[in-house]
Amino acid sequence: MEKEVRLMGEEKIDEIFDLAAYAFNAEPTEKRKLRFKNIVTHSLNYGYFSEDTLTSQIISTPFKVAFHGISYQMAGIGCVSSYPEYRGQGGISMIMKQLLTELAENKVELAYLAPFSYPFYRKYGFEQIFEQISYTVKAEDWPNVKATPGKMKRVTYKEAKNVCQQIYSELPSNQRGAVIRDDWWFGYAFGLDDKNRFALYEDELGNPQGYLIYQSSAERFVIKEWGYVTNQAFQSLVRFIGSHNGASREFYLETGFDGTNLSYLMSSPLVEMKITPFMMARIVDLESFLDKYPFTEGDKETYYIKVEDEYGPWNKGIWELEITKTGLSTVRKLEQIPESLTENEVISSTIQVLTQLFMGYRTGSELYFYGKITGPEKLIQTLGQRLVKGKPILADYF
């Protein structure tokens, strides 16, 4: 029986959509198909075929992410699906192997995905990197904010999109692994749902300083996304949202969690808060990732890192990482540990754990304490001092 992985173009949209709709129990409406076609057009679509029948698929959408002053290429992995009768037959593993290989050949540094099962994707080298926090606030508990100079105005999607894009790209929280949004992606994420409403805050000079994307019903006012570059903008957004307290029973916000929460700004901090694991990530091409990595200033140092990566054999092995005083790096793969080095001068871990370490989700000391990374503790701490600080944050979902 002939089985193979193939790249699929738009001509296969019906088959790709039918499989996705079946696997995710989605109603196959024309509206949904049109939206889905938007992603397919901008993506590499991998299918696993058995006797010319599409049985499994993965969609890989190319993005760029902003990471502490540099830009990485990232593949957004989605629509991982198989027909039930073909599950467990290795189709997804075959696609994942080819997909990761091709991404590495193209020097794509990272891949993100939304897991249905964390253990399932861990075997492909992915690990939890992002978290989200959600707030549910009763209407009467929403902060009562005095009017500020400037004005809030409700606008159309068309009027809002450029301002939203501009402010989003300026926010410090979106420099820690967040997607650099192309116009098509912003349109896909926010422009296709006619329930989405948009409001902008302009200061006294008419400069846009904040935006709000929301949905409103009698039951709940949902903040889909907000961004503000000044305190005045923040206060105005809070006041605008609060002005809906007669129309909605509660307010709801779900956003990236960086280790801090906003409850202390409430007059009654007893808001319902929930922190949940969010997306997973993996370093795809370690060499390119470390080569571009924004190491901090310090002494000139050399590290030897032993990497385990079952689905990325190009990453597996011993790496020599040299970091200059200014934080520039040179990285090369070694055939073996240099004779002058002993095994206990080498930092060893898996690609999953190294993704958590280098992206700032966990510190070297934490990972060492829990046995996720091995080697001399002092060396792990020293390397940790050269890495970026601050948990990664992601606002997008695919």
Side-chain angles (χ1 to χ4, degrees), residues 176-230:
R176 303 191 214 158
V179 173
I180 297 170
R181 290 173 174 164
D182 287 336
D183 284 348
W184 81 265
W185 176 250
F186 184 82
Y188 176 82
F190 297 108
L192 298 177
D193 189 341
D194 51 19
K195 291 196 192 80
N196 283 341
R197 297 175 184 183
F198 302 84
L200 304 177
Y201 165 74
E202 292 177 353
D203 65 15
E204 307 94 308
L205 301 173
N207 299 316
Q209 305 279 0
Y211 71 89
L212 173 68
I213 304 170
Y214 64 100
Q215 292 185 2
S216 175
S217 70
E219 185 59 31
R220 179 179 259 196
F221 183 104
V222 178
I223 301 164
K224 301 293 284 185
E225 185 170 289
W226 62 358
Y228 40 85
V229 289
T230 63

Side-chain angles (χ1 to χ4, degrees), residues 73-77 100 103 108-113 126 280-284:
Q73 290 189 82
M74 181 271 284
I77 308 292
L100 289 171
L103 289 174
V108 175
E109 290 91 7
L110 292 164
Y112 294 177
L113 58 77
F126 288 85
M280 298 177 92
R282 72 120 62 214
I283 296 168
V284 177

Side-chain angles (χ1 to χ4, degrees), residues 40-206:
V40 168
T41 307
H42 287 93
S43 303
L44 292 166
N45 311 291
Y46 288 81
Y48 183 71
F49 288 80
S50 177
E51 289 294 323
D52 224 31
T53 300
L54 176 64
T55 66
S56 303
Q57 65 188 5
I58 297 178
I59 288 177
S60 170
T61 311
F63 292 103
K64 282 194 169 67
V65 295
F67 190 73
H68 300 267
I70 63 153
S71 161
Y72 279 132
Q73 290 189 82
M74 181 271 284
I77 308 292
C79 203
V80 180
S81 43
S82 301
Y83 282 112
E85 64 271 30
Y86 292 103
R87 280 182 194 149
Q89 293 184 20
I92 294 298
S93 291
M94 287 279 287
I95 297 174
M96 200 63 93
K97 207 167 202 170
Q98 185 169 321
L99 167 57
L100 289 171
T101 302
E102 289 176 10
L103 289 174
E105 283 168 359
N106 289 304
K107 300 289 177 199
V108 175
E109 290 91 7
L110 292 164
Y112 294 177
L113 58 77
F116 69 87
S117 157
Y118 289 87
F120 178 81
Y121 287 110
R122 220 166 252 143
K123 69 182 182 188
Y124 300 119
F126 288 85
E127 191 46 89
Q128 186 199 328
I129 295 295
F130 301 102
E131 292 172 351
Q132 282 199 311
I133 184 167
S134 64
Y135 305 86
T136 307
V137 186
K138 292 191 185 106
E140 61 267 26
D141 290 338
W142 190 261
N144 190 11
V145 177
K146 289 190 183 120
T148 53
K151 64 175 179 186
M152 287 292 302
K153 58 179 191 178
R154 286 178 294 107
V155 294
T156 62
Y157 162 74
K158 209 171 175 181
E159 293 169 296
K161 65 178 182 182
N162 289 343
V163 175
C164 294
Q165 285 281 67
Q166 182 59 41
I167 292 172
Y168 168 89
S169 67
E170 288 173 18
L171 298 176
S173 58
N174 291 331
Q175 315 305 317
R176 303 191 214 158
V179 173
I180 297 170
R181 290 173 174 164
D182 287 336
D183 284 348
W184 81 265
W185 176 250
F186 184 82
Y188 176 82
F190 297 108
L192 298 177
D193 189 341
D194 51 19
K195 291 196 192 80
N196 283 341
R197 297 175 184 183
F198 302 84
L200 304 177
Y201 165 74
E202 292 177 353
D203 65 15
E204 307 94 308
L205 301 173

